[in-house]
Amino acid sequence: MKKSVISLSLACAAVGSYAQSSVEVFGVADVGLAHLSSSTGSGTGASTGGANISRLGFRGNEDLGGGLKAGYWLEAGLDINSGAGKTSGALSFNRRSTVSVSGNFGEVRLGRDDSASFLSTLIFDPFLTNGVGGTMSFTMLGAPGTANAIGGAPIQISNAVSYFLPPDLGGFYGQAQVAFGGQPSTAANSKQGNYEGLRAGYRQGALNVAFATGKLMGDIAANDLTAKNIGVSYDFGMVKPMFIWATEEKSFIKITAMQIGLTAPLGAGELRASYGRYDTANSSADWNKLAVGYGYNFSKRTQVYGSYAQISNGAAAKKVVTVQGGMTSAANALGASATGLEVGLRHFF
């Protein structure tokens, strides 16, 4: 990705003498067309984020001397099809807003960030969780909620403190994370919204393997949510197979996913494919998802892509294929199938 770097030297001179620092402006613009179909209807319309989530961001660091660096990262999600921000239409740094200090000890990061239990479902999915083809292994209990009976595991988590191991440990990497729900001590459950996560892995040469676990405290103990996953990939050059095992569980429901996938260079682009099985314990609310796609690279920054996905529901399931923004699928009937087709253009800047 070509990066735009804007010097802050004049601004620093205006307010005093500071160590050299910079700000980098970056982002993704991704928009397309989607056709979504279920048992009750179908529709065609604009979509966004089919290959990569559209975003606008600012990041940079400052050399503090002695091997220490201070950094910041502000990243806002966008719906390019409408020009709106991802948070109720407003522009907010919902994807990441952190400050950090790093050195030979690793990195300490504060603020809103990806949750430790989400990252592997992103990295080991051929579609990077995006568009009609993206894995459902991180939203099996639904979109992130307010830590009660409704809602799934966090994707990004606010009020977080994260520690990352240094990058020079012979391929081993790891992260520990805690986040605070912000409840007062007088609340019925002062721990509601608190989160604890851990992720560890090994990446060397063609091999990458990781394990992650996280727990989100609910308003009552029965609504505490635990998410666990394992991801593995191995790049053979001509093909890169991937595997995800993931589970999300509350006291009254447990769903487990197993997904195999692959990416493969093909011409000037990349072929993507995955097949996932989602099993709800002690229930026929199970479903399977098959997805295939291809992205053609006009350059390192610009890609045109197409993806197709099909969901087959068990007798008590009614899942539909979704996109990141724009189109909304019609509701499905129990046991019925659903499909999605998406084509679009993505540009890094």
Side-chain angles (χ1 to χ4, degrees):
M1 178 191 304
K2 184 178 179 181
K3 302 177 176 68
S4 302
V5 179
I6 304 172
S7 173
L8 293 183
S9 57
L10 293 177
C12 290
V15 297
S17 178
Y18 295 91
Q20 185 176 2
S21 61
S22 64
V23 57
E24 178 183 308
V25 181
F26 68 96
V28 179
D30 184 322
V31 67
L33 292 174
H35 179 80
L36 305 179
S37 178
S38 70
S39 62
T40 64
S42 63
T44 301
S47 62
T48 185
N52 294 90
I53 301 297
S54 298
R55 69 199 72 175
L56 173 66
F58 308 89
R59 60 193 173 197
N61 60 70
E62 180 182 22
D63 189 345
L64 301 177
L68 292 177
K69 287 186 177 181
Y72 69 92
W73 189 306
L74 301 172
E75 185 174 325
L78 300 171
D79 284 337
I80 296 297
N81 60 299
S82 66
K86 278 289 187 183
T87 309
S88 300
L91 183 67
S92 68
F93 297 109
N94 61 307
R95 290 182 54 81
R96 180 171 167 181
S97 56
T98 62
V99 293
S100 62
V101 176
S102 60
N104 56 15
F105 60 87
E107 179 185 358
V108 176
R109 189 183 297 173
L110 308 174
R112 179 173 174 83
D113 203 356
D114 289 331
S115 70
S117 53
F118 162 69
L119 280 170
S120 289
T121 58
L122 167 75
I123 293 169
F124 296 101
D125 175 37
F127 295 89
L128 299 174
T129 74
N130 298 320
V132 299
T135 181
M136 302 171 74
S137 61
F138 67 108
T139 55
M140 293 184 289
L141 294 182
T146 54
N148 53 28
I150 301 173
I155 300 173
Q156 284 84 30
I157 189 79
S158 297
N159 308 313
V161 179
S162 303
Y163 168 71
F164 297 83
L165 291 174
D168 54 354
L169 298 180
F172 291 97
Y173 57 90
Q175 172 190 3
Q177 184 180 61
V178 296
F180 304 95
Q183 300 292 329
S185 60
T186 54
N189 186 348
S190 60
K191 295 183 178 180
Q192 182 180 1
N194 288 4
Y195 172 84
E196 297 176 352
L198 182 68
R199 183 170 183 264
Y202 177 78
R203 181 175 55 245
Q204 191 75 2
L207 176 67
N208 190 5
V209 57
F211 166 78
T213 182
K215 185 171 184 178
L216 179 68
M217 304 300 291
D219 54 343
I220 58 175
N223 293 330
D224 291 352
L225 187 153
T226 301
K228 298 178 181 179
N229 51 67
I230 297 172
V232 183
S233 68
Y234 193 92
D235 192 347
F236 289 97
M238 62 183 297
V239 65
K240 182 179 180 180
M242 303 177 178
F243 172 78
I244 296 173
W245 172 90
T247 182
E248 291 185 0
E249 181 178 8
K250 295 183 182 181
S251 64
F252 54 91
I253 186 171
K254 179 180 181 180
I255 303 179
T256 301
M258 293 185 67
Q259 177 180 297
I260 55 173
L262 63 85
T263 61
L266 183 62
E270 180 183 72
L271 176 69
R272 308 165 185 132
S274 67
Y275 177 79
R277 166 70 178 173
Y278 302 83
D279 180 76
T280 302
N282 305 312
S283 171
S284 58
D286 309 323
W287 70 97
N288 303 327
K289 183 175 182 179
L290 173 68
V292 293
Y294 179 75
Y296 179 85
N297 297 311
F298 289 112
S299 68
K300 291 183 178 180
R301 298 167 57 193
T302 303
Q303 179 184 99
V304 61
Y305 61 86
S307 302
Y308 172 81
Q310 178 175 314
I311 289 178
S312 300
N313 285 301
K318 52 182 179 179
K319 298 293 183 178
V320 296
V321 178
T322 60
V323 294
Q324 299 291 346
M327 278 290 299
T328 299
S329 175
N332 213 355
L334 292 174
S337 62
T339 62
L341 176 66
E342 187 174 24
V343 294
L345 182 67
R346 182 220 66 203
H347 180 76
F348 293 139
F349 62 89

